[in-house]
Amino acid sequence: MPNLDKDTVEGFGKEWARFHYRGQADDDVCAMFSSYFGWVAGDLLKDNGCGADFGCGSGRWAALVAARVCELWCIDASEEALAVAQKNLAGEHNCYFVRTVIGDMGISDGTFDFGYSLGVLHHVPDTDKALWDCVRTLKRGAPFLLYLYYALDGRPFWYRTLWKFANALRLGISKLPSMQRALVCEGLASVIYWPLARLAKLGEKAGCDVSNWPLSFYRRKSFYVLRNDALDRFGTRLEKRFTKVQIFDLMRKSGLRDIRFSKAPPYWVAIGWKG
């Protein structure tokens, strides 16, 4: 049985068709790229490297990676998402596109010099197997960058309680038809994301510690990104969360060694090298 949730894959295809990032939020994309890659770019991205983006979506990260490497394979299970990525990367002649489910890729072991999967593997039924299937395609000693949703470890009790309420909303909203789901999430971006994010920005300017303020991560993000992430957060059927310890164990069991975690949000971003 393929390691995917059909409704989730279909939802992401429609999400990336809606939020394709062509000519949109360029500064935000560069800032988010830096938060994922900036702390390890020298270790991960080499001029002569051949690597893979597992779950490339719209290709917004691939567009910045491709300019730094020799060859990049953009892999996604959604035909709709991959079509968006192909348009976004039309000027990058070192990108190759593969529509396949992680686990059924048909890619030989030890193919890639590096790999990454950002915000993808917590949306598949068997995250352990998906990560192992990605890592097996790496050469020995090759790095792999991973981002999985965190289980709010380190957050105060009230913050986790608020998340439980939000998650209950997600379980209902994600079952709506596509257009209704998108409209509801647009509303959430307008009446929840934008006001709370801008309140955190004002608090930061006033000298407050806003690290535990809800949605403070978005205080410098554009409304386009807020709309996208509201749909991503509340419109996705399948979502899992992991503690830092659990992610470390997942990576170790997949064959990665010398695992390190970023100390900055988003949490958790980690890198490891294939043993």
Side-chain angles (χ1 to χ4, degrees):
M1 180 180 296
N3 190 11
L4 87 166
D5 180 84
K6 184 178 178 181
D7 290 329
T8 299
V9 171
E10 181 180 338
F12 274 116
K14 295 186 181 303
E15 177 181 332
W16 296 127
R18 188 180 186 88
F19 295 101
H20 47 70
Y21 283 85
R22 284 191 296 278
Q24 297 284 346
D26 291 341
D27 290 343
D28 285 321
V29 171
C30 289
M32 290 187 289
F33 179 85
S34 181
S35 69
Y36 289 123
F37 291 88
W39 64 294
V40 291
D43 294 325
L44 186 73
L45 307 178
K46 306 293 185 182
D47 290 344
N48 61 347
C50 169
D53 181 334
F54 296 97
C56 67
S58 66
R60 54 181 172 166
W61 314 132
L64 294 169
V65 171
R68 294 166 166 81
V69 300
C70 180
E71 187 175 299
L72 183 66
W73 290 38
C74 300
I75 298 166
D76 205 283
S78 167
E79 182 176 4
E80 197 168 8
L82 209 62
V84 174
Q86 286 177 302
K87 287 183 180 179
N88 285 344
L89 296 162
E92 304 294 342
H93 302 296
N94 61 339
C95 291
Y96 301 89
F97 302 91
V98 183
R99 185 198 172 197
T100 185
V101 178
I102 294 174
D104 297 326
M105 293 182 290
I107 298 171
S108 301
D109 293 1
T111 296
F112 299 121
D113 299 304
F114 70 91
Y116 61 91
S117 184
L118 305 177
V120 176
L121 302 187
H122 45 235
H123 294 306
V124 301
D126 191 339
T127 301
D128 299 62
K129 184 178 185 304
L131 180 56
W132 185 91
D133 284 325
C134 291
V135 172
R136 72 158 186 83
T137 66
L138 301 179
K139 296 176 182 177
R140 184 176 294 276
F144 188 84
L145 185 68
L146 177 68
Y147 166 52
L148 294 177
Y149 284 167
Y150 77 133
L152 307 182
D153 30 332
R155 294 295 190 181
F157 174 77
W158 66 264
Y159 193 105
R160 287 181 274 120
T161 301
L162 190 62
W163 175 83
K164 288 180 181 179
F165 173 73
N167 197 53
L169 281 180
R170 177 187 67 82
L171 293 174
I173 293 169
S174 64
K175 294 176 183 177
L176 294 173
S178 175
M179 184 55 67
Q180 294 178 25
R181 185 168 67 235
L183 289 174
V184 170
C185 291
E186 290 277 349
L188 292 174
S190 300
V191 303
I192 296 179
Y193 272 66
W194 191 88
L196 288 177
R198 293 309 178 259
L199 182 62
K201 187 176 181 179
L202 290 174
E204 183 181 49
K205 287 183 177 180
C208 300
D209 178 6
V210 299
S211 58
N212 276 324
W213 289 27
L215 301 177
S216 65
F217 177 74
Y218 296 100
R219 61 191 180 275
R220 300 187 194 93
K221 302 291 188 293
S222 68
F223 189 50
Y224 188 88
V225 171
L226 269 59
R227 291 167 56 219
N228 179 192
D229 280 16
L231 179 58
D232 192 279
R233 174 68 187 90
F234 289 96
T236 304
R237 291 277 187 101
L238 175 61
E239 173 191 298
K240 294 186 284 184
R241 288 180 176 264
F242 302 86
T243 66
K244 186 177 181 180
V245 171
Q246 288 173 327
I247 294 172
F248 181 89
D249 287 341
L250 278 172
M251 296 178 75
R252 182 179 52 80
K253 286 189 292 185
S254 73
L256 295 171
R257 300 291 182 266
D258 301 323
I259 298 163
R260 293 191 279 124
F261 285 80
S262 171
K263 296 179 181 179
Y267 304 117
W268 290 106
V269 180
I271 190 171
W273 281 260
K274 184 174 179 180

